Amino acid sequence: MASAQELIIEPTNGRQADACVILLHGLGADGHDFEPLIPALGLPDSLAVRFVLPHAPQLPVTVNGGMTMPAWYDILEMNLGRRVDVEQLRASARRVHGLIDDQIATGIDSRRIVIAGFSQGGAVAYEAALSYPKPLAGLLALSTYFATADSIELAEANRRLPIEVHHGSADPVVPESLGREGAEKVEALGYPVNYRTYEMGHSLCPEQAQDIAAWLTATLG
């Protein structure tokens, strides 16, 4: 069900959605942040994909001087270890589980639901997708890190979940080493992982949009 807590974009081809991408924004943004990406993907008319773009709650963020802003969880330290409020992160992941359940209730098979996230949203996407008890279509992790790699309770239903990881080689916010480390950790756990890097900072680029579109088409087609 749509609510003020998320932006929902139905297929532009007029067809009833039979697949869904839940895409989580980064710190300080909202669901509208990735709204322009959807037409830029140029997905084929053969796909009928609903995009769900949730808005994060307003939280005080320690590394930003305690300023309140849209955040999926508090970041306690901005070092390479990225110490975060794990309970808040898991609460956000449970919210994603609820959004998945909502999509299943509309008639979409869980195996046609992709979980995606950028930066902070990507850390929540890792936790949400890999702990969800029904099989999903895939996980797309953008310019992010695997914050709960050492404590996540993995769901057997998604132990072979395809994972696509993208990162900018000049990212000044989340160093590429963290993105690569996250990909290596899930690969070590036995997941099929594809890692791509782009000449960009903490953002998206046109080449990447093409790769995302190709991956979604292959995953949901």
Side-chain angles (χ1 to χ4, degrees):
M1 292 297 229
S3 78
Q5 293 184 308
E6 61 264 351
L7 172 66
I8 295 185
I9 301 175
E10 297 291 350
T12 55
N13 55 17
R15 292 174 50 198
Q16 176 70 29
D18 63 10
C20 178
V21 175
I22 298 174
L23 175 56
L24 309 179
H25 62 77
L27 178 66
D30 65 16
H32 293 281
D33 199 47
F34 282 110
E35 194 173 358
L37 172 65
I38 296 167
L41 293 175
L43 294 178
D45 284 341
S46 58
L47 290 181
V49 182
R50 173 184 296 133
F51 284 83
V52 177
L53 309 176
H55 309 306
Q58 296 282 333
L59 297 174
V61 178
T62 300
V63 296
N64 285 345
M67 186 183 301
T68 297
M69 62 183 63
W72 298 109
Y73 52 85
D74 188 15
I75 300 175
L76 305 171
E77 293 176 2
M78 280 294 278
N79 54 25
L80 272 180
R82 272 303 192 284
R83 198 162 66 88
V84 307
D85 188 316
V86 173
E87 287 311 307
Q88 288 178 343
L89 189 155
R90 291 212 163 102
S92 290
R94 288 192 294 272
R95 179 176 161 195
V96 175
H97 288 178
L99 292 172
I100 299 169
D101 293 340
D102 289 345
Q103 293 306 307
I104 294 171
T106 70
I108 294 179
D109 191 311
S110 68
R111 291 166 294 186
R112 293 188 58 72
I113 298 176
V114 167
I115 307 303
F118 177 84
S119 196
Q120 249 209 353
V124 175
Y126 267 121
E127 174 73 25
L130 300 183
S131 65
Y132 189 68
K134 296 178 183 177
L136 298 167
L139 166 63
L140 176 61
L142 306 171
S143 301
T144 190
Y145 50 99
F146 191 5
T148 55
D150 297 330
S151 59
I152 188 171
E153 293 187 16
L154 300 171
E156 284 303 315
N158 282 301
R159 285 307 299 256
R160 297 298 299 164
L161 186 72
I163 301 173
E164 181 86 355
V165 181
H166 295 180
H167 217 103
S169 58
D171 191 331
V173 178
V174 180
E176 192 207 343
S177 60
L178 282 181
R180 191 175 295 277
E181 180 183 83
E184 290 171 350
K185 284 183 175 180
V186 284
E187 190 169 45
L189 290 168
Y191 293 89
V193 181
N194 185 50
Y195 183 84
R196 298 179 192 266
T197 186
Y198 302 87
E199 293 183 8
M200 64 179 186
H202 196 60
S203 60
L204 298 180
C205 65
E207 178 190 356
Q208 182 185 16
Q210 293 178 1
D211 289 339
I212 291 171
W215 181 75
L216 287 176
T217 300
T219 301
L220 298 173

